[in-house]
Amino acid sequence: QVTAKTAFLFILPQYNVSVPTADGELVQYHYGLKDLVTILFYIFIAIVLHAVVQEYILDKINRRLHLSKVKHSKFNESGQLVAFHLTSVIWCLYVVVTEGYISNPQSLWENYPHVYLPYQVKFFYLCQLAYWLHALPELYFQKVRKEEIPRQLRCIALYLLHITGAYLLNLTRLGLILLLLQYLAEFFFHMARLVYFTDENNEKLFNVWAVVFVVTRLFTLTLYILVIGFGLPRVESQALDPERGNFFSFLFNNILFRMSVLLLVCLFQASVMWRFIHFQLRRWREYWNEQSSRKRAAAAASTKQQTKPLKRDSGYHENGVVKAENGTSPRTKKLKSP
């Protein structure tokens, strides 16, 4: 029994409470320091799954494609993230649908703070934190190039900041929807990269990703405005109460603070869109330069064929009659019969 309790501490989410409802009691969860133990266990699980995907799927594909070192590293990164994002999108979509967060958008801010979480919501957040924390030692295990490490560290830090902030500030419902939108766009991007590495002439999925990216940015900005601008200011409990998990809803009564937060959100989304537009313009420029160089090469080849000197018969032409080089006609003379 002692070992079983210790095992449950690592495997199952802790801090369960019975919340009375109209139909009886409902078991829900809140967070605490014991969550760190559970996260540590799932970090090791994520490392094992990462190695399985790498060895049994990605390495076999790499051996067939014969990619360069740079493309090999990017292919491994995108392959791992495609598997993770696809799993997370399906899992997150199931959670938000079963919990009714999509069918009832008001639930994103109603009864804030959302201190008590359903089992599947808490377990999802713990697994997400474990995955992005496991990505730190994977930078060493995967022998990532030094040039790529700062970019990947920024990505990991942003995801950890978003997930941890939503988890600790009791904004888990809003955080789930935002993660779903972000992971959906990232899935199409990394899937497009995988297809591009297998066939460099196939860039159709990049166009699909561009559309999905713009749509998800618009939905993300709309959610921020809806929740921060209209939802949280209407919460009944507006007093600062850290014990109940109400950290900052009272600040949204101040219109200056609310507008400042929305301005920061809009500026951040605008910077993301600017980087996206810059990336698309650079990709289109490279595509048109490649197409123009191909057309110039084809035109030069056709011109070379047209100006190629024709092979002439021996001798020269005089008044339309071919003469031999010594001036005599090459036509054979008939011999008179004796």
Side-chain angles (χ1 to χ4, degrees):
Q1 293 181 353
V2 176
T3 57
K5 290 181 180 179
T6 306
F8 289 150
L9 179 64
F10 283 90
I11 298 172
L12 298 177
Q14 303 300 308
Y15 302 105
N16 57 315
V17 293
S18 297
V19 180
T21 60
D23 300 329
E25 290 186 349
L26 181 65
V27 177
Q28 292 190 329
Y29 297 80
H30 60 94
Y31 59 80
L33 290 177
K34 292 181 181 179
D35 290 341
L36 298 176
V37 180
T38 310
I39 291 172
L40 178 63
F41 173 76
Y42 284 102
I43 286 175
F44 292 115
I45 297 296
I47 292 174
V48 172
L49 293 176
H50 190 113
V52 169
V53 172
Q54 184 67 43
E55 182 175 356
Y56 291 98
I57 299 177
L58 298 179
D59 285 346
K60 290 183 178 180
I61 298 175
N62 273 320
R63 282 193 288 269
R64 293 182 180 180
L65 296 178
H66 304 290
L67 299 174
S68 63
K69 289 185 178 180
V70 176
K71 290 184 178 180
H72 180 84
S73 177
K74 292 182 178 180
F75 184 89
N76 288 336
E77 178 190 359
S78 293
Q80 293 288 347
L81 289 175
V82 161
F84 169 71
H85 288 317
L86 179 60
T87 305
S88 297
V89 165
I90 296 173
W91 189 3
C92 189
L93 183 62
Y94 174 79
V95 171
V96 297
V97 169
T98 54
E99 294 296 332
Y101 300 153
I102 292 181
S103 59
N104 182 21
Q106 293 183 356
S107 62
L108 298 178
W109 62 81
E110 281 183 344
N111 301 321
Y112 178 82
H114 307 133
V115 179
Y116 299 113
L117 308 175
Y119 171 82
Q120 59 181 354
V121 174
K122 174 162 184 174
F123 189 60
F124 177 82
Y125 269 92
L126 294 180
C127 290
Q128 291 294 312
L129 289 171
Y131 179 85
W132 290 110
L133 286 172
H134 111 282
L136 294 173
E138 285 294 343
L139 295 176
Y140 173 76
F141 295 147
Q142 293 294 319
K143 298 179 180 179
V144 178
R145 295 184 306 141
K146 292 182 179 180
E147 298 82 6
E148 293 290 325
I149 289 178
R151 179 185 62 83
Q152 295 199 23
L153 284 177
R154 284 196 302 270
C155 179
I156 294 169
L158 287 174
Y159 274 114
L160 286 175
L161 180 64
H162 170 84
I163 298 170
T164 306
Y167 187 64
L168 296 180
L169 297 177
N170 301 312
L171 288 168
T172 50
R173 299 179 184 181
L174 177 62
L176 280 174
I177 304 297
L178 295 177
L179 275 179
L180 177 61
L181 295 172
Q182 177 66 19
Y183 284 167
L184 186 63
E186 289 291 309
F187 167 74
F188 280 102
F189 173 72
H190 290 287
M191 194 67 197
R193 280 217 305 185
L194 289 181
V195 174
Y196 175 76
F197 289 142
T198 57
D199 181 11
E200 293 187 355
N201 295 322
N202 191 348
E203 297 186 1
K204 294 181 180 179
L205 268 182
F206 278 110
N207 298 328
V208 177
W209 164 71
V211 175
V212 174
F213 182 86
V214 173
V215 172
T216 53
R217 290 303 100 193
L218 291 175
F219 271 104
T220 299
L221 186 59
T222 304
L223 276 174
Y224 274 118
I225 295 174
L226 184 65
V227 175
I228 296 176
F230 300 97
L232 289 177
R234 298 181 181 180
V235 174
E236 295 180 359
S237 178
Q238 295 289 347
L240 176 63
D241 191 358
E243 293 183 359
R244 292 187 62 251
N246 193 343
F247 294 102
F248 57 88
S249 65
F250 71 98
L251 294 173
F252 289 96
N253 279 334
N254 187 339
I255 189 171
L256 182 61
F257 177 81
R258 188 161 69 245
M259 295 305 295
S260 300
V261 172
L262 288 176
L263 180 61
L264 290 176
V265 169
C266 291
L267 289 176
F268 177 75
Q269 294 299 323
S271 66
V272 171
M273 285 299 300
W274 170 250
R275 289 197 298 270
F276 168 76
I277 293 171
H278 180 71
F279 170 78
Q280 290 296 326
L281 290 176
R282 185 181 62 185
R283 189 169 70 90
W284 288 337
R285 192 183 304 115
E286 291 175 354
Y287 173 77
W288 288 115
N289 289 338
E290 183 180 356
Q291 292 296 320
S292 61
S293 62
R294 287 181 179 179
K295 289 179 180 179
R296 286 195 299 268
S302 61
T303 305
K304 186 177 181 181
Q305 286 182 351
Q306 290 176 1
T307 58
K308 185 177 180 181
L310 298 175
K311 186 177 180 181
R312 303 183 66 177
D313 296 330
S314 59
Y316 63 94
H317 289 74
E318 183 178 335
N319 297 326
V321 179
V322 179
K323 299 291 184 179
E325 293 181 358
N326 56 4
T328 60
S329 174
R331 186 178 300 174
T332 57
K333 296 181 178 180
K334 283 187 179 182
L335 296 177
K336 294 182 180 181
S337 57

